[in-house]
Amino acid sequence: MDHLTLFFEAAFIQNLALTFFLGMCMFLAVSKRMDTALGFGLAVFVVQTVTVPVNHLIHQHLLRSGALAWAGLSEVDLSFLGLITYVGVIAAMVQVMEMVLERYAPALARSFGIFLPLLTVNCAILGGSLFMVQRDYSFSQSVVYGAGSGFGWAIAIALLAGVRERLKYADPPAGLRGLGLTFIVVGLISLAFMAFPGIRTG
Amino acid sequence: MKTGLRSQLQRLVSRRTGRTTLDKQHDQADTGSGPLHYRPAEFTDRAPHVRDAFNFSRWMWLLTAALVPALFVGLYNTGYQVGEALRSLGTDATLLGHGSLLASIGLSAESPGVLGSAVVGLVYFVPVYLVALLIGGGWEHLFAVMRGRNRVEGVALTTLLFALSLPPTVPLWQVAVGMSFGVVLGKEVFGGTGKTFLNPALVGLVFLYFAYPDTMRNSSVWVPVAGWADGALLDRMASGGIEALEASGITWLDSFFGWTPGAFGDRSAAACVVGAVLLVSMRVVSWRILAGGVLGLAVAAVAFGSFASGLVPLADLAWYWHVTLGSFAFGLVFFATDPVTAPLTDAGRWIYGMLIGAMTVIIRAANATHSDGVMLAILLGNVSAPLIDHFVVRANVRRRARRHG
């Protein structure tokens, strides 16, 4: 598959947030302000672009059935360790990211609060790695897929933040104020994203 | 604060007199007599105290007036298409619905003439519009009553736009479902007209489009005659390209004036141009969105023609064809320009228009699942409008900071 096509598909047609509804907790929690949302989208993009290829290498050369043939252990199948390893890689990556942000952008790090460490258990990021394994991407494809899906998630949270900022002056019924209305907004945005599936990218 | 001293006092007073202190004073101030009371001849009852003749109500009625050409042409065309279909299918073709009504008023649907065609169109359109108006207006009224808000005229325009975009064969219960979805989830939950981020009529249409594809995008829905299944022009081109149209003798002018099968009111680009001239000259809609839309459409059509020529049937279609096809003109003039859901910055309006135009061509040419992507493109534009505004404003702030820095 063409890499540009894969990027477009990962970002728009199979948008992690709006098509698979992955990573919803942070998608809803960090989208109140545009600046925070853009920063967080960037964080997800970077983490995703790094962790998917790294997990790809680990999967291909350590965990996959028969992957340890280079060490003379061709019968060993460590793929049951997949989930915990991917989470470990993501946690390490997020830790590095947190330190970098606290050093160079302390204001942004503060505005993320608890959600930056929680990126470790963000289902969008773990989902990216699991999709990569399931679809059997090559290394270069995993780089493109990681970047594309992270970019798509960042676009989605930026769109949501824009709408939520505009809805600051909305006047919803009392029971819908806050998260209730945001759920409806996410549903409507994902309705708009239904324009993409079916676009012939090849 | 409900527990504050002041509100305690107020509660006490109101319990004794049945009125709050402020209520009593309001009565005094409103009688408007005595030397201390001056009241101008014209006054506004609520803030903000704008004294422009061009108030919200007039704005809405002007938009409705701009729809009148599209409405008339659409009504005539609906009847005209019925006659064409009946003649071409021969004697055993029957009308879907309203056949006995037309027979009882002595109107031959097969060759109705100009006025008769409009009557046939009216017979099909009025039930659809009435259902949309009753359901949409009903929700507006219900929310206004329950929440203690004013009803606004916006809902009349919403229902008209919604009804004009539906195919003539649409079942009335689906009209009710779509209008309910559009008005409640597209508008009322956000607090009513002006407080939402998506055009409510558009939300209802897109909901119907995905929920009931059989009645919204089948090739047989556009003319209410049993056995007719030629499809709208875009359906015919999706398989055969422009040659399929030329074979059936349809010219660009036919498509421009709207003598082709389609939804009630969205077929005539000419009628939309008339509406657009009125709206732009009254500065009700932004010409930047219209120009951006046509520009984006043209650029995307030329790009498809030069890079994807021959890959997809619609790639080679000229941009002036694209403008007249599907609901592009109607959608761009009446849906995309909605000031509530469009960007608020001028540069943003250009970008937004171009996004809609380009997405329209992309969906038409490259997306086999949708033959006409205008409504989806506009919905996507609506969703992106706040983000576009954000970046335009930020770029502006940065430029000025550099200039005056």
Side-chain angles (χ1 to χ4, degrees), chain A residues 8 12 18 33-35 38 154-174 176-177 181-182 184-186 188-202, chain B residues 143 147 149 181 185-186 188-192 195-198 203 206-207 210 311-313 339-344 359 362-363 366-370 376-377 379-380 382-387 389-391 394:
Chain A
F8 178 79
F12 293 104
L18 296 173
R33 288 185 58 246
M34 179 64 97
D35 292 333
L38 285 176
I155 290 269
I157 199 173
L159 286 176
L160 180 64
V163 171
R164 284 184 79 175
E165 282 201 343
R166 187 174 267 201
L167 288 181
K168 218 174 270 171
Y169 302 102
D171 172 30
L176 276 176
R177 244 159 238 165
L181 197 68
T182 311
I184 295 176
V185 169
V186 173
L188 291 173
I189 295 180
S190 111
L191 186 71
F193 259 62
M194 282 177 79
F196 291 113
I199 288 188
R200 250 184 63 188
T201 43
Chain B
F143 270 84
R147 305 195 59 206
R149 304 286 196 277
F181 189 90
L185 283 180
E188 300 296 354
V189 295
F190 299 103
K195 303 224 159 71
T196 175
F197 77 106
L198 295 173
V203 173
V206 173
F207 169 75
F210 283 116
L311 285 177
V312 279
V340 178
T341 58
L344 308 166
M359 268 315 283
I362 291 172
I363 295 174
N367 198 335
T369 39
H370 313 301
L376 297 174
L379 197 66
L380 207 64
N382 280 181
V383 165
S384 333
L387 190 63
D389 266 347
H390 175 84
F391 282 114
R394 211 159 77 163

Side-chain angles (χ1 to χ4, degrees), chain B residues 170-191:
Chain B
V170 66
L172 293 181
W173 67 270
Q174 284 181 13
V175 178
V177 171
M179 198 71 263
S180 301
F181 189 90
V183 170
V184 175
L185 283 180
K187 187 172 86 170
E188 300 296 354
V189 295
F190 299 103

Side-chain angles (χ1 to χ4, degrees), chain B residues 198-287:
Chain B
L198 295 173
N199 188 318
L202 195 59
V203 173
L205 283 173
V206 173
F207 169 75
L208 281 187
Y209 183 81
F210 283 116
Y212 306 104
D214 275 354
T215 51
M216 290 298 286
R217 46 174 149 152
N218 236 346
S219 57
S220 60
V221 300
W222 306 111
V223 175
V225 172
W228 184 90
D230 289 352
L233 297 192
L234 277 164
D235 299 328
R236 298 181 204 174
M237 284 196 212
S239 47
I242 184 91
E243 291 79 15
L245 279 195
E246 281 161 355
S248 56
I250 291 172
T251 61
W252 183 81
L253 277 180
D254 290 336
S255 181
F256 179 70
F257 285 113
W259 317 132
T260 54
F264 278 117
D266 74 352
R267 283 310 311 119
S268 176
C272 295
V273 169
V274 174
V277 167
L278 173 69
L279 293 177
V280 168
S281 63
M282 297 294 280
R283 282 182 293 147
V284 169
V285 307
S286 158
W287 62 270

